[in-house]
């Protein structure tokens, strides 16, 4: 409803339904990178990075690598342009869920990771690699 006295103003109704979505801090690029994960107990596990950003990744593993909130070390190799770099990061598990397509992959669990400790050169390589993959993905689309 609109009114002009004592000054122009407008009455609006609230929407019947409001929905929202969580927005990531950084866009993730789809990848397939073999990774080595060392948990807090020192056990090594093989895993695959499914997507990556400069601040985190989605990691697929055959078994649970820890509970939400636990930390571990993740090592993987980035190869693009003239860069070939082994990246070592400390990561924390933000989420653990079952693989939505169990028949399409050997890895049963997906772990959402947040990188908590990244060295300067590794951070630069992660950023450059992620942006390169995002550009490649947008060129295909």
């Amino acid at each position: 409803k609109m009114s002009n006295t004592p000054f122009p103003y407008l009455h609006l109704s609230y929407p019947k339904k409001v929905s929202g979505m969580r927005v990531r801090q950084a866009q993730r690029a789809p990848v397939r990178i073999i990774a080595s994960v060392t948990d807090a107990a020192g056990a090594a596990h093989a895993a695959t990075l499914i997507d990556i950003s400069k601040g985190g990744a989605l990691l697929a593993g055959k078994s649970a690598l820890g509970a939400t909130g636990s930390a571990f070390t993740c090592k993987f190799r980035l190869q693009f342009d003239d860069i070939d770099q082994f990246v070592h990061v400390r990561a924390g598990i933000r989420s653990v869920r079952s693989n939505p397509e169990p028949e399409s992959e050997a890895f049963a669990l997906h772990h959402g990771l947040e990188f908590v400790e990244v060295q300067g050169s590794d951070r630069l390589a992660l950023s450059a690699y992620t942006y390169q993959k995002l550009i490649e993905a947008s060129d295909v689309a």
Side-chain angles (χ1 to χ4, degrees), residues 12-19:
L12 301 174
S13 66
Y14 287 104
K16 291 183 182 359
K17 183 178 178 184
V18 176
S19 61

Side-chain angles (χ1 to χ4, degrees), residues 10 17 19 68 78 86 135 140:
L10 187 62
K17 183 178 178 184
S19 61
T68 301
L78 297 179
F86 283 97
I135 289 168
V140 172

Side-chain angles (χ1 to χ4, degrees), residues 55-133:
L58 181 64
L59 184 109
K62 292 182 180 179
S63 60
L65 302 173
T68 301
S70 61
F72 55 80
T73 304
C74 186
K75 301 174 188 176
F76 50 93
R77 183 179 185 181
L78 297 179
Q79 292 179 295
F80 62 105
D81 289 337
D82 294 334
I83 297 172
D84 186 3
Q85 183 164 340
F86 283 97
V87 176
H88 301 247
V89 297
R90 291 254 330 132
I93 298 176
R94 298 285 302 238
S95 66
V96 179
R97 61 183 167 86
S98 296
N99 183 353
E101 300 170 12
E103 12 353 283
S104 68
E105 263 191 72
F107 296 108
L109 292 172
H110 284 181
H111 301 76
L113 306 182
E114 177 183 17
F115 299 147
V116 291
E117 265 183 54
V118 184
Q119 299 298 324
S121 60
D122 290 345
R123 184 177 307 283
L124 183 61
L126 272 170
S127 294
Y129 181 81
T130 301
Y131 292 134
Q132 168 101 17
K133 290 299 178 186

Side-chain angles (χ1 to χ4, degrees), residues 11 33 41 57 69:
H11 285 276
I33 300 173

Side-chain angles (χ1 to χ4, degrees), residues 5-59:
T5 55
F7 50 84
Y9 63 95
L10 187 62
H11 285 276
L12 301 174
S13 66
Y14 287 104
K16 291 183 182 359
K17 183 178 178 184
V18 176
S19 61
M21 71 168 62
R22 192 174 185 152
V23 179
R24 292 192 178 279
Q25 291 180 352
Q27 190 173 3
R28 289 195 175 182
V31 295
R32 280 277 188 248
I33 300 173
I34 296 170
S36 173
V37 175
T38 305
D39 62 22
H45 305 273
T48 301
L49 295 173
I50 304 296
D51 65 30
I52 194 166
S53 74
K54 62 183 183 177
L58 181 64
L59 184 109

